[in-house]
């Protein structure tokens, strides 16, 4: 017996059966619904041509709108939600939505291939931010590529769409729509099966634990921003997926006087305000992590479990002294995050275990922290090197040092020799130079398409110097380094 997938497509209810659980939302829209406004460019979350919006009620019953990439989003993850596509934006009187009208008025489209994706990103911006700054607009569009028009008129459209005030179909009756979505409520999680492939979406930690015990070999799906590519690029098929996105406990973010606890199912978008508050440089890094549609889906747990040597989350988390809580059939266990990574894509995770929580100590007096991402492009690019630096200074001496890097080894990794060269010494240019020599011995990086080994080593040592400059003051630094 299989459940059907139920959701609102624009304003209409849909009940879907018989499609493989890894059917992407984009395939469904274009193939089954013949809604071809949503385009396929890259099929890997990079170009934004496929952007759609997913709406869900928040705790107060109002709808939240999130732009996502439909090319790497699996259809069953829409269960209980509303999917909004470019075809659904027009009002009852056929009036264009302000985002569409502004694109027309500003001549912000030529070939039009990218245009529906831009419109959907603008739509999400308009309904989540009542008065965006230019920086907010650039951020909102960071995941959309246009090869014809150029961005100036599109950015102008982003400003102009606010001129028309309210009056579009999405300004008022969102509570009514949220109410309609109540018809999809489930007491227990979705169990969907098609073509012999199963998709299980537990709704609580208890349900999840039972499912993990029953199926320890099942594949885990969170935001799907890595996983989606296993399907669209590697053409893999999966017998059984356990989806974490409906387990509210995994998304919880809590803060005590000494620690923050970040649920592994929290998205990077959701934790960004907290990171900004405690570690602004970490927030800055995450604003350069992919694009808003990716960050709206991508989770912390997925970034850690994926164990990419160039993942951006692990270096700052390791430098800040994070520990990771694993939950499995035999209960919970906690270990320092740096001990979680064994070798290239090999971790301490056992069958049936998931990454459940990340625990981070809050800054204490005397602590300094910064993380830097070096990549070829500012937005939507993978790091060549990511360097994170955390120190505790006491009476001018380095009392503790944790330096962690991505892109320098087969795993995210601490620079132990450099750390040893810092601890107990004054935080000055001479100490930093000695630590830079040690840092060059900590790693034997690879040459690849992103950077040469020599570039990586030079960059890592220069990032250490930069950290010193920023924590001691630029004038000081000019004297120190000439
Ligand atoms: C266009 C694009 C740009 C990107 N840019 C960046 C970037 O700038 N920096 C960066 O670091 N990454 C980037 N990524 C990679 C990706 O977005 C992140 O790694 C993301 O955090 C993965 O989280 P997810 O929830 O989507 O994981 P998923 O894709 O759902 O899963 C990833 C892997 O982890 C496993 N998994 C997921 N959650 C858990 C869990 N809780 N416990 C155990 N196993 C789990 C899955 O089985 C899978 O093997 C990018 C990806 C795309 C498509
Ligand atoms: S098709 Fe390029 S981001 Fe989806
Ligand atoms: S209008 Fe052609 S790619 Fe943007």
């Amino acid at each position: 017996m299989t459940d059907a997938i139920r959701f609102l497509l624009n304003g209409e209810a849909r009940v879907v059966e018989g499609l493989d659980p890894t059917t992407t939302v984009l395939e469904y829209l274009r193939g089954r619904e013949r809604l071809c406004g949503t385009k396929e460019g890259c099929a890997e979350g990079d170009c934004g041509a496929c952007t759609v919006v997913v709406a869900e009620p928040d705790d107060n019953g109002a709808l939240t709108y999130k732009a996502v990439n439909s090319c790497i989003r699996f259809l069953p993850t829409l269960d209980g939600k509303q999917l909004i596509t470019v075809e659904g934006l027009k009002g009852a009187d056929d009036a264009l939505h302000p985002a569409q009208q502004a694109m027309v008025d500003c001549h912000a489209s030529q070939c039009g291939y990218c245009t529906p994706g831009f419109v959907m990103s603008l739509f999400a911006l308009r309904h989540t931010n009542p008065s965006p700054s230019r920086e907010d607009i650039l951020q909102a569009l960071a995941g959309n590529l246009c090869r014809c028009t150029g961005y100036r008129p599109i950015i102008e459209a982003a400003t102009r769409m606010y001129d028309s005030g309210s009056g579009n179909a999405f300004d008022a009756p969102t509570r009514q729509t949220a109410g309609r979505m109540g018809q999809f409520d489930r007491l227990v999680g979705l169990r969907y099966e098609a073509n012999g492939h199963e998709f299980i979406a537990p709704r609580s930690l208890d349900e999840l634990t039972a499912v993990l015990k029953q199926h320890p070999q099942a594949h885990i799906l969170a935001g799907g921003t890595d996983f989606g590519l296993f399907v669209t690029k590697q053409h893999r098929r999966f017998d059984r997926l356990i989806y974490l996105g409906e387990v509210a406990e995994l998304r919880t973010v809590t803060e005590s006087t000494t620690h923050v606890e970040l649920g592994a199912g929290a998205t990077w978008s959701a934790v960004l305000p907290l990171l900004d508050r405690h570690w602004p440089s970490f927030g800055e890094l995450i604003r350069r992590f992919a694009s808003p549609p990716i960050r709206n889906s991508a989770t912390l747990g997925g970034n850690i479990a994926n164990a990419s040597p160039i993942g951006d989350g692990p270096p700052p988390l390791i430098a800040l002294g994070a520990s990771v809580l694993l939950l499995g059939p035999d209960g919970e266990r906690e270990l320092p995050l740096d001990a979680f990574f064994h070798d290239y894509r090999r971790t301490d995770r056992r069958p049936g275990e998931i990454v459940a929580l990340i625990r981070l100590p809050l800054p204490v007096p005397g602590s300094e922290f910064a993380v830097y991402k070096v990549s070829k492009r500012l937005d939507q690019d993978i790091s060549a090197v990511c360097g994170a630096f955390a120190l505790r200074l006491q009476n001018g001496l380095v009392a503790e040092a944790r330096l962690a890097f991505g892109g320098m080894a087969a795993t995210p990794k601490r620079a132990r020799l450099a750390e040893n060269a810092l601890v107990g010494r004054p935080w000055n240019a001479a100490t930093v130079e000695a630590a830079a020599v040690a840092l060059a011995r900590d790693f034997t990086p690879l040459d690849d398409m992103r950077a040469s080994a020599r570039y990586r080593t030079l960059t890592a040592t220069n990032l250490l110097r930069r950290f010193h400059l920023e924590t001691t003051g630029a004038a000081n630094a000019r004297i120190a380094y000439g």
Side-chain angles (χ1 to χ4, degrees):
M1 179 67 189
T2 171
D3 294 328
I5 308 164
R6 298 172 307 154
F7 59 98
L8 284 183
L9 171 59
N10 296 316
E12 293 175 15
R14 288 288 184 272
V15 178
V16 178
E17 291 172 304
L19 292 178
D20 195 281
T22 54
T23 303
T24 65
V25 172
L26 180 66
E27 286 166 338
Y28 168 77
L29 285 173
R30 295 181 63 90
R32 171 75 70 105
E33 294 285 349
R34 297 287 167 203
L35 290 178
C36 296
T38 309
K39 302 289 188 283
E40 175 169 326
C42 61
E44 59 182 45
D46 257 322
C47 73
C50 68
T51 309
V52 293
V53 166
V54 173
E56 288 181 77
D58 64 14
D59 293 342
N60 302 316
L63 285 187
T64 58
Y65 294 107
K66 291 194 182 110
V68 302
N69 301 104
S70 63
C71 64
I72 49 172
R73 176 100 182 199
F74 299 148
L75 191 65
T77 67
L78 294 183
D79 189 66
K81 305 182 176 64
Q82 183 188 25
L83 171 65
I84 304 172
T85 71
V86 71
E87 291 87 354
L89 300 196
K90 277 202 292 189
D93 54 357
D94 261 4
L96 294 181
H97 183 274
Q100 296 172 303
Q101 189 61 54
M103 289 287 281
V104 174
D105 294 344
C106 297
H107 306 286
S109 172
Q110 287 185 59
C111 80
Y113 202 85
C114 67
T115 306
F118 273 101
V119 166
M120 295 314 294
S121 289
L122 293 180
F123 168 86
L125 177 68
R126 193 176 191 281
H127 294 286
T128 49
N129 188 338
S131 59
S133 63
R134 183 179 163 83
E135 188 48 41
D136 294 335
I137 292 171
L138 297 183
Q139 266 291 315
L141 299 177
N144 295 90
L145 296 182
C146 174
R147 287 290 174 254
C148 310
T149 305
Y151 296 93
R152 191 199 50 76
I154 300 173
I155 293 165
E156 192 186 332
T159 312
R160 193 85 77 84
M161 71 176 170
Y162 288 87
D163 293 350
S164 62
S166 59
N168 77 81
F170 294 89
D171 280 338
T174 62
R175 274 172 206 285
Q176 204 180 320
T177 309
R180 283 186 65 204
M181 286 152 76
Q183 68 180 298
F184 305 134
D185 282 354
R186 290 181 187 280
L187 290 177
V188 290
L190 171 77
R191 270 184 184 255
Y192 172 78
E193 193 177 333
N195 304 335
H197 299 153
E198 198 179 9
F199 183 98
I200 310 174
R203 297 189 70 81
S204 68
L205 219 44
D206 285 347
E207 232 188 285
L208 172 64
T209 318
V211 171
L212 289 170
K213 199 165 198 153
Q214 199 186 352
H215 303 295
Q217 303 299 338
H219 286 87
I220 304 295
L221 174 71
T225 60
D226 285 310
F227 207 105
L229 278 68
F230 302 161
V231 172
T232 62
K233 296 290 152 175
Q234 297 170 9
H235 306 291
R236 288 168 64 187
R237 286 288 176 265
F238 298 91
D239 288 344
R240 181 171 292 110
L241 294 181
I242 300 177
Y243 177 51
L244 305 183
E246 302 298 337
V247 184
E249 294 105 308
L250 286 181
R251 291 195 298 270
T252 314
V253 173
T254 55
E255 209 173 322
S256 72
T257 47
T258 54
H259 283 76
V260 292
E261 293 188 340
L262 309 171
T267 63
W268 287 107
S269 296
V271 299
L272 187 52
L274 177 138
L275 298 181
D276 274 338
R277 209 163 54 247
H278 294 299
W279 305 281
S281 141
F282 199 168
E284 212 177 294
L285 171 83
I286 296 310
R287 252 177 233 97
R288 291 187 51 213
F289 182 121
S291 62
I294 294 286
R295 297 198 296 268
N296 286 341
S297 299
T299 63
L300 277 69
N303 198 231
I304 290 170
N306 193 47
S308 163
I310 43 169
D312 285 326
L317 292 172
I318 291 172
L320 288 170
S323 59
V324 58
L325 189 89
L326 298 163
L327 173 73
D330 302 325
E332 295 177 358
R333 63 192 179 103
E334 188 165 352
L335 71 162
L337 181 56
D338 51 338
F340 179 71
F341 301 107
H342 289 187
D343 203 343
Y344 181 69
R345 304 260 187 197
R346 283 208 312 109
T347 70
D348 208 68
R349 194 161 76 86
R350 299 171 190 154
E353 270 186 339
I354 59 152
V355 176
L357 189 92
I358 296 100
R359 210 186 306 270
L360 263 181
L362 283 168
V364 294
S367 56
E368 299 280 0
F369 170 77
V371 54
Y372 310 105
K373 169 168 177 161
V374 178
S375 57
K376 288 184 180 165
R377 286 182 320 215
L378 185 71
D379 292 316
Q380 187 78 305
D381 204 358
I382 301 293
S383 293
V385 177
C386 179
F389 305 85
L391 295 184
R392 190 169 58 80
L393 298 173
Q394 211 168 14
N395 304 324
L397 299 183
V398 179
E400 280 176 60
R402 293 174 69 94
L403 278 49
F405 288 84
M408 296 293 289
T411 62
K413 196 165 169 245
R414 279 173 75 177
R416 300 274 188 175
L417 297 176
E419 290 174 2
N420 291 340
L422 292 171
V423 174
R425 306 249 154 64
W427 183 225
N428 61 24
T431 302
V432 168
E433 283 313 304
V437 172
L439 179 53
R441 287 194 286 120
D442 265 309
F443 298 108
T444 316
L446 288 179
D447 284 317
D448 70 12
M449 59 170 183
R450 290 201 178 84
S452 65
R454 190 168 160 272
Y455 175 88
R456 287 190 153 105
T457 303
L458 184 64
T459 302
T461 51
N462 280 343
L463 291 180
L464 174 62
R465 293 184 181 102
R466 176 176 170 186
F467 177 59
H468 177 243
L469 300 186
E470 288 183 355
T471 51
T472 53
N476 212 353
R478 234 174 279 127
I479 296 165
Y481 297 107

